[in-house]
Amino acid sequence: MSSPEKKRKKNTARTKNPSLKRSPLLPPTPQSTPNPTLPDDVLLSCFARVSRLHYPSLSLVSKSFRSLLSSLELYQTRSHLHRTERCLYVCLSLPPDPNPRWFTLCRRPNRNLTKKRKKKQSSNLLVPITSPHSTPVRPSFVVIGSEIYEIGGLVNGAASSTVSVFDCRSHSWRKAPNMLVAREQPYAKVIDGKIYVRGLEDLVEVFDPKTQTWNYESTEWKSLDDYYGIVSDRFFGMASRTSSSCVIDSVLYSYYKGEFKWYDKKVTDWRTLKGLWYSLPAFFSCSTTSSQIQLADYGGKMAVLWDRHDRSSNCKGRKVLCAVVTLERRTSEEIRGRVEWSDDSEAVLKVPGSVAFVGVVAATL
């Protein structure tokens, strides 16, 4: 009899012998294959059905994902599938940086919190946009589709006639034809797809994006306000004294002395926006220490942004907070607001120093 050691050696040699045939009863050895990939058109169709708020998270998956998410084909697919949505863009001044920076509102990539972590996180974030651009002081911002127009302002202390366009799809800037008149603090609004601009004077000029031309408008600004549904002296009177104001569906909304107010042609005086006193308690409690409040038309809803001291940074830093309010007109004299979502206790952005709102707009993507 052979020893156990000799049997083990014999068995080992047998398994290593390549001439031995594998039993037909055993399954074949699996072959290594590369990971399967989906065609780009399939991925584009999938991405187009996902809210754009999740795109920053998806872009972290791979370079190919990041490339597709920034392609113009994706937004063409979204439009074809009727999946466009309003996306919030915020321009902030962050000293000591002389150039304001643009941010867009997105979902936080990871909202799962461990039991050890007691501090609540906001479900939304302001994500910075990397697109070098020098923004003038006190420009006016308007939106046509997916493009933000930056109009006039101060450049090196002088009134500017320049117009720049930010494409929210490609996150790139381009120059548009200059205005006919330089304006240091222009007021612009879009009516029927054209941009109407007025400065401190009553002279109005109009830009047609289709022909890329500026022309003087003989129509008086007051008649434009009548068309737009508000009254000029009300806008430049009350609104100029508030922290912020915006026009949504022909109604002028303002935050003034701790209250949200609204005004349009159907009422004789400013009215209080009902329903928000108990919905945004943290907002009102911080209004005395907050340096600024910004309102914006967010696709028929009202976006509210404000800042306050960041206690975690020993009050040296600031944090930006955000809420979205849906608006319902009950009668000709009553409009109620309902908070759709609010990050009224945690920040969508924290900065180590001071912060100032330059502009808040919503584009369609």
Side-chain angles (χ1 to χ4, degrees), residues 12 28 30 37 42 48 70 78 84 88 113 123 129 155 160-161 179 186 204 230 234 251 265 332 361 365:
T12 302
T37 57
V42 176
S70 61
R78 289 175 64 89
T84 57
L88 199 66
L113 301 178
S123 58
I129 296 171
V155 176
S160 172
S161 62
M179 291 184 292
V204 178
I230 60 175
R234 290 284 181 179
V251 179
K265 299 286 296 243
S332 61
V361 293
L365 294 169

Side-chain angles (χ1 to χ4, degrees), residues 3 14 35 53 77 96 130 206 215 238 247 266 288 361:
S3 64
R14 183 179 299 171
N35 293 328
L53 292 172
T77 304
T130 55
V206 185
N215 292 289
M238 176 71 173
V247 176
K266 298 179 181 180
T288 56
V361 293

Side-chain angles (χ1 to χ4, degrees), residues 59-79:
S59 66
L60 300 176
V61 175
S62 65
K63 290 183 179 179
S64 60
F65 274 33
R66 187 159 54 251
S67 176
L68 288 175
L69 291 169
S70 61
S71 66
L72 295 180
E73 290 79 7
L74 173 59
Y75 295 100
Q76 293 172 353
T77 304
R78 289 175 64 89
S79 178

Side-chain angles (χ1 to χ4, degrees), residues 29-66:
T29 304
Q31 299 294 324
S32 61
T33 57
N35 293 328
T37 57
L38 293 174
D40 285 353
D41 56 346
V42 176
L43 286 173
L44 286 173
S45 180
C46 295
F47 292 156
R49 289 170 166 82
V50 178
S51 172
R52 195 174 176 276
L53 292 172
H54 298 286
Y55 281 10
S57 300
L58 289 172
S59 66
L60 300 176
V61 175
S62 65
K63 290 183 179 179
S64 60
F65 274 33
R66 187 159 54 251

Side-chain angles (χ1 to χ4, degrees), residues 65-137:
F65 274 33
R66 187 159 54 251
S67 176
L68 288 175
L69 291 169
S70 61
S71 66
L72 295 180
E73 290 79 7
L74 173 59
Y75 295 100
Q76 293 172 353
T77 304
R78 289 175 64 89
S79 178
H80 178 72
L81 296 175
H82 303 289
R83 292 284 182 164
T84 57
E85 60 186 308
R86 301 287 279 184
C87 301
L88 199 66
Y89 283 83
V90 182
C91 185
L92 299 174
S93 175
L94 303 172
D97 189 347
N99 294 321
R101 297 184 61 187
W102 280 93
F103 297 79
T104 184
L105 187 69
C106 299
R107 295 291 186 196
R108 183 179 291 276
N110 183 12
R111 294 176 57 188
N112 296 325
L113 301 178
T114 61
K115 293 182 179 180
K116 294 181 180 180
R117 188 170 184 177
K118 298 180 180 179
K119 190 172 183 180
K120 178 186 175 183
Q121 280 186 326
S122 166
S123 58
N124 301 283
L125 284 175
L126 284 177
V127 177
I129 296 171
T130 55
S131 181
H133 176 70
S134 180
T135 298
V137 178

Side-chain angles (χ1 to χ4, degrees), residues 92-93 243-244 255 283 286-287 289-294 305-308 318 320 354-358:
L92 299 174
S93 175
S243 298
S244 182
Y255 178 80
F283 175 82
C286 77
S287 61
T289 59
S290 178
S291 62
Q292 54 200 328
I293 297 95
Q294 190 79 18
L305 293 99
W306 66 100
D307 75 312
R308 68 167 74 159
R318 307 288 292 181
V320 178
S354 61
V355 60
F357 291 105
V358 179

Side-chain angles (χ1 to χ4, degrees), residues 211-259:
T211 61
Q212 292 288 295
T213 56
W214 286 94
N215 292 289
Y216 290 114
E217 178 62 56
S218 58
T219 305
E220 294 182 3
W221 190 262
K222 187 178 185 304
S223 63
L224 292 177
D225 283 330
D226 291 340
Y227 176 90
Y228 209 57
I230 60 175
V231 178
S232 182
D233 58 352
R234 290 284 181 179
F235 188 92
F236 288 100
M238 176 71 173
S240 64
R241 299 195 301 271
T242 66
S243 298
S244 182
S245 60
C246 68
V247 176
I248 303 174
D249 295 332
S250 300
V251 179
L252 173 61
Y253 295 88
S254 288
Y255 178 80
Y256 186 59
K257 292 185 177 180
E259 282 189 301

